[in-house]
Amino acid sequence: MSRYDDVKHLMKGRTISRIVYDAPTIAARVHELGMEIGRAYPDGDLLVLGLLKGSFIFLSDLVRQIPRPLQVDFLVASSYGNETVSSGLVRLVYDPETVLEGKHILLVEDIIDSGRTLNRLIEILSTRRPRSLEICALLHKRLAPDLVRDARFLGFDAPHEFLVGYGLDHAEDFRSLPFVASLAD
Ligand code: IMP
Ligand code: MG
């Protein structure tokens, strides 16, 4: 299922304007990222922390391309309140059970947009005294003016369009599309 015609029946009547990253393109980039991550952590315990829900497909493909031992856990962050208030409104509704202290933590995110969620998560996770704390994002819209920490590992610079598929949703739909597409208005 890599062509739009093959997945039309999943679209609930919506259409996409174009496929931005097709499945083979994503797979090739995820393989390169996995190798890069493997080289970046020659020693120590590596904990790959996926930010749910958007990262679940990316993370599951990515960890299978990282050629070194690692552990996996997840975070669920919840945003609150008024969009015009920009700080402090993210809390963890699921917190990893594993101890973070002394481990290399690789936080995996689907897409960096305003960067608000990541900024707050970096603050929260830093207090757990990890050995290192880095971000791996599949997509980056390069819209965030003041990221506390930028992604060390990045799949693609994304266009400024609303993207769905490969884990990314619109109102919880379209996560299972095997590619990343731009949703038509
Ligand atoms: P940020 O805090 O503004 O960086 O928001 C990041 C989160 O917003 C991502 O983890 C996604 O869940 C969601 N998001 C941002 N842009 C898109 C998009 O184009 N498509 C789907 N979800 C998006
Ligand atoms: Mg979302």
Side-chain angles (χ1 to χ4, degrees):
M1 292 208 303
S2 61
R3 295 173 318 129
Y4 178 45
D5 283 348
D6 299 330
V7 298
K8 253 187 174 159
H9 60 289
L10 303 176
M11 292 303 298
K12 300 180 77 178
R14 295 291 299 267
T15 52
I16 58 179
S17 51
R18 65 194 176 97
I19 294 177
V20 182
Y21 304 106
D22 65 14
T25 303
I26 295 170
R29 187 70 192 114
V30 169
H31 174 72
E32 288 173 356
L33 278 176
M35 302 306 278
E36 195 184 329
I37 290 166
R39 286 193 298 274
Y41 297 100
D43 56 29
D45 294 331
L46 174 62
L47 177 65
V48 179
L49 259 187
L51 182 53
L52 290 177
K53 301 175 197 171
S55 73
F56 81 111
I57 292 179
F58 175 43
L59 179 136
S60 60
D61 284 347
L62 180 68
V63 291
R64 287 177 288 175
Q65 301 300 325
I66 301 176
R68 57 109 65 217
L70 56 80
Q71 294 185 343
V72 174
D73 209 331
F74 293 95
L75 287 170
V76 182
S78 167
S79 311
Y80 279 107
N82 179 335
E83 276 302 293
T84 61
V85 180
S86 67
S87 63
L89 296 174
V90 174
R91 71 175 182 112
L92 295 183
V93 294
Y94 172 75
D95 204 335
E97 285 164 4
T98 335
V99 172
L100 305 193
E101 184 165 349
K103 293 179 183 164
H104 292 298
I105 307 300
L106 183 62
L107 186 58
V108 177
E109 167 74 308
D110 53 355
I111 185 165
I112 302 175
D113 188 345
S114 76
R116 199 173 297 161
T117 318
L118 268 185
N119 278 347
R120 183 70 186 117
L121 285 177
I122 290 292
E123 271 179 48
I124 294 171
L125 296 176
S126 298
T127 66
R128 315 272 174 93
R129 299 158 46 97
R131 177 169 168 187
S132 68
L133 177 56
E134 300 288 353
I135 295 159
C136 176
L138 177 68
L139 301 164
H140 199 325
K141 286 191 177 170
R142 303 268 176 220
L143 290 171
D146 52 0
L147 279 180
V148 170
R149 184 160 318 186
D150 211 340
R152 171 156 177 202
F153 308 99
L154 176 66
F156 307 96
D157 277 319
H160 298 172
E161 296 164 34
F162 197 83
L163 304 173
V164 295
Y166 198 71
L168 291 113
D169 72 304
H170 175 261
E172 296 300 327
D173 290 323
F174 316 125
R175 292 194 197 272
S176 66
L177 299 179
F179 44 68
V180 173
S182 177
L183 198 60
D185 298 326

